Amino acid sequence: MTKLLQWLLGVSLLVAVWALVTWDLLDLSLPDTYRDVAWPMPLYLLVSFGCYSLATVGYRVATFNDCEDAALELQQQIKEAKDDLKRKGLKM
Amino acid sequence: MASRKTSHRIRENGDKYSVLLPTYNERENLPLIVWLLVKYFGESGHNYEVIIIDDGSPDGTLEVAEQLQRIYGQDRILLRPRAKKLGLGTAYIHGVKHATGNFIFIMDADLSHHPKFIPEFIQKQKEGNYDLVSGTRYRGNGGVYGWDLRRKLISRGANFLTQVLLRPNASDLTGSFRLYKKEVLENLVERCVSKGYVFQMEMIVRARQLNYSVGEVPISFVDRVYGESKLGGNEILSFVKGLLVLFATT
Ligand SMILES: Nc1nc2c(ncn2[C@@H]2O[C@H](COP(=O)(O)OP(=O)(O)OP(=O)(O)O)[C@@H](O)[C@H]2O)c(=O)[nH]1
Ligand SMILES: [Mg+2]
């Protein structure tokens, strides 16, 4: 199953459950509080997922390692390599 | 004494590592990356070869490669040039055909990928007998150098979106510093059709699809010092397109 299908399946399941509760499609005569909680649920989910995404990406950007040492080491080694290669007869 | 024992054991197990270096206008970087490869493979004692796949670079990369071959020997440095620029994907296919190792390293020749991590890749691979080991900038001590806030944001954002949509079992999908078992690379590269960044992503997503095991090694990625980036242009757009294609097909 492709990821697209997995997503469609998941979303339609959620929508089905949501519709069932919100409009009481099966005549289960659920208490009103169920409906009151259920109907704005998609919005809540979207907003919290959005917040989660922003927070996660923001945190990861802020904590993205800056490899200063790696850059310095490379500069050093470039010098070393150039000298050694020149000695070995490389013409750049 | 102990170290002699280790290198002896390594030689006995018969593993050979072929490093594929695709180059396009890397005249300045190529000698440096080769020098570093020779240094670190020499220190670790693993058997290796470097295969340079130059796509007719107008800057004379091939001529430099020939000099390097003279310096380091024809059994260490193999030249498998092609007449014109045919892209990275086919460069790997071309290179693998000529590889004599049972393991293949893929890395950029622009010094963004440092050969000092090679022993860690090899150790990781042995630890779990992984089918492929992928370098990651997003985990542990991994990281980048020379990126501004905007580039970090795009990178992290794109990575997050990809993780959500594709749930691959790897943290760095667009990185291209990887170690493959030869037959795994051959199998994967035949199936992958994308170009540019998306190619690397497709490789690892298809690896998940085919149930290959993936290990990860944190790497530092230092932006290229010499030469120009070739993947430029409307990268973001083609990335999103490629992501959606993979979303619908894997
Ligand atoms: N043989 C071959 N090599 C290529 C081709 N395009 C790019 N390369 C090489 O592939 C590696 C990665 O390309 P880069 O231009 O560095 O791409 P990038 O890392 O996304 O871009 P930067 O941010 O500039 O480093 C380098 O070693 C290039 O020389 C090609 O068409 N043929
Ligand atoms: Mg690069």
Side-chain angles (χ1 to χ4, degrees):
Chain A
M1 191 162 47
T2 67
K3 283 285 174 280
L4 176 64
L5 283 178
Q6 288 179 12
W7 270 83
L8 287 178
L9 197 72
V11 169
S12 23
L13 266 176
L14 279 179
V15 169
V17 172
W18 175 76
L20 273 181
V21 178
T22 308
W23 291 299
D24 203 1
L25 295 180
L26 294 181
D27 281 324
L28 299 173
S29 49
L30 298 166
D32 278 358
T33 47
Y34 276 49
R35 205 198 52 211
D36 293 345
V37 172
W39 77 262
M41 207 36 104
L43 189 67
Y44 286 157
L45 282 179
L46 271 180
V47 170
S48 33
F49 180 70
C51 290
Y52 167 74
S53 305
L54 283 182
T56 310
V57 172
Y59 177 77
R60 288 178 180 171
V61 169
T63 57
F64 213 153
N65 267 342
D66 277 308
C67 306
E68 309 271 346
D69 296 345
L72 278 177
E73 183 192 18
L74 182 63
Q75 284 308 327
Q76 215 82 68
Q77 289 182 324
I78 287 177
K79 270 195 215 107
E80 213 183 311
K82 279 183 172 165
D83 291 344
D84 188 49
L85 285 166
K86 209 176 283 168
R87 227 176 305 126
K88 291 194 162 86
L90 184 88
K91 283 182 258 326
M92 295 268 253
Chain B
M1 192 63 204
S3 76
R4 191 185 296 162
K5 247 184 206 154
T6 341
S7 68
H8 186 63
R9 194 193 60 222
I10 286 165
R11 249 178 281 132
E12 250 179 13
N13 76 15
D15 285 335
K16 182 170 181 181
Y17 298 85
S18 301
V19 181
L20 301 190
L21 282 184
T23 58
Y24 190 75
N25 286 348
E26 303 286 5
R27 187 187 55 202
E28 277 154 304
N29 290 316
L30 185 63
L32 305 174
I33 187 84
V34 168
W35 187 86
L36 287 167
L37 281 166
V38 171
K39 172 179 157 75
Y40 285 97
F41 269 115
E43 283 171 12
S44 75
H46 295 101
N47 193 8
Y48 73 100
E49 68 188 0
V50 179
I51 302 178
I52 299 169
I53 306 132
D54 186 63
D55 273 3
S57 305
D59 78 342
T61 305
L62 187 57
E63 197 268 323
V64 174
E66 282 160 358
Q67 290 190 48
L68 288 165
Q69 195 179 36
R70 250 171 272 138
I71 294 174
Y72 291 112
Q74 299 202 346
D75 50 334
R76 287 296 185 212
I77 313 286
L78 283 70
L79 308 184
R80 296 291 177 265
R82 301 186 297 177
K84 60 176 199 284
K85 194 171 190 311
L86 297 168
L88 268 181
T90 58
Y92 294 136
I93 297 180
H94 181 74
V96 176
K97 269 190 218 140
H98 301 282
T100 63
N102 53 334
F103 287 97
I104 313 277
F105 269 103
I106 278 184
M107 61 196 295
D108 291 353
D110 60 2
L111 297 177
S112 298
H113 298 148
H114 200 296
K116 70 181 171 190
F117 296 109
I118 279 180
E120 290 172 43
F121 276 77
I122 293 174
Q123 197 199 338
K124 187 78 195 177
Q125 193 284 324
K126 288 193 193 305
E127 250 171 56
N129 191 23
Y130 292 109
D131 293 315
L132 85 91
V133 177
S134 173
T136 176
R137 295 162 289 184
Y138 301 120
R139 258 195 200 151
N141 292 326
V144 294
Y145 179 80
W147 285 21
D148 57 8
L149 193 64
R150 181 174 163 274
R151 188 148 173 215
K152 284 183 179 174
L153 188 65
I154 292 172
S155 171
R156 284 297 202 182
N159 186 264
F160 180 80
L161 185 67
T162 314
Q163 296 291 343
V164 169
L165 290 183
L166 300 181
R167 275 172 287 132
N169 44 8
S171 59
D172 193 339
L173 297 129
T174 50
S176 51
F177 192 178
R178 292 178 185 156
L179 168 61
Y180 295 84
K181 287 180 180 168
K182 187 181 184 189
E183 68 275 10
V184 171
L185 179 64
E186 283 171 332
N187 192 6
L188 280 173
V189 92
E190 291 294 335
R191 290 161 197 267
C192 291
V193 290
S194 322
K195 300 257 174 316
Y197 280 122
V198 183
F199 175 77
Q200 307 298 348
M201 182 158 81
E202 183 173 7
M203 291 282 278
I204 205 138
V205 171
R206 300 240 180 252
R208 179 213 61 201
Q209 200 183 14
L210 298 171
N211 286 320
Y212 285 131
S213 56
V214 179
E216 291 198 302
V217 170
I219 58 159
S220 54
F221 178 100
V222 177
D223 236 6
R224 64 158 70 240
V225 189
Y226 302 106
E228 273 172 28
S229 172
K230 280 111 216 162
L231 296 177
N234 39 14
E235 267 165 27
I236 298 178
L237 197 71
S238 57
F239 176 83
V240 171
K241 256 201 289 192
L243 177 58
L244 292 179
V245 169
L246 288 177
F247 184 54
T249 59
T250 67

